[in-house]
Amino acid sequence: MPPKSHREPEPGDLTPEIGSETDVARVGRAGARPAHELTADEDVDEADWDRVAAEQEFKSLLASKRRFIVPATVFFVVYYFALPVLVGYAPGLMERRVLGRVNVAYLFALSQFFMAWAVAALYVRAAGGWDATARRIIGRLGSQRKGE
């Protein structure tokens, strides 16, 4: 630890000492530090990520995710904003009663909850396949590292 230097505190200065200890010192742990406590220099990644990014299976994984996520996001945003747009520009349609006092606008608003659940369910199903592909890529990467 560097020596502490003292100086005359300036008016209102609550930290007259400089060179004091910091809170980044290890606190009584022996052995390896957990991954979340490693510094950038200590967290050496031995994977060749350029090689992984060049693999056809990885490119297919990214393309598959893009084919689902982009259209699903566009669809949901259009569906979500259709309600206020239709209420503003087609109030006669949206005021039309369907069941008693329930009109088209209320049904459309309620349908947005079901649409969100449907999109989420489709995403979960698709993500299961993406996770399996990612596990295969990571497993192959791990076996390549051990073989080197």
Side-chain angles (χ1 to χ4, degrees), residues 118-133:
V119 170
L122 290 171
Y123 177 82
V124 167
R125 192 176 90 197
W130 300 329
D131 289 346
T133 303

Side-chain angles (χ1 to χ4, degrees), residues 65-80 115 118-120 122-123 126 130:
K65 290 175 84 171
R66 200 174 303 113
R67 275 192 311 272
F68 179 88
I69 292 171
V70 171
T73 302
V74 169
F75 168 77
F76 188 75
V77 167
V78 168
Y79 194 83
Y80 182 79
M115 189 55 61
V119 170
L122 290 171
Y123 177 82
W130 300 329

Side-chain angles (χ1 to χ4, degrees), residues 57-123:
E57 189 174 19
F58 184 75
K59 290 178 183 178
S60 297
L61 171 65
L62 293 180
S64 173
K65 290 175 84 171
R66 200 174 303 113
R67 275 192 311 272
F68 179 88
I69 292 171
V70 171
T73 302
V74 169
F75 168 77
F76 188 75
V77 167
V78 168
Y79 194 83
Y80 182 79
F81 284 107
L83 177 63
V85 169
L86 288 170
V87 166
Y89 289 104
L93 170 68
M94 300 307 275
E95 291 172 353
R96 187 172 297 149
R97 293 184 185 246
V98 178
L99 297 169
R101 302 188 73 165
V102 177
N103 61 23
V104 173
Y106 284 126
L107 289 179
F108 195 90
L110 183 62
S111 75
Q112 290 185 343
F113 288 99
F114 295 106
M115 189 55 61
W117 294 332
V119 170
L122 290 171
Y123 177 82

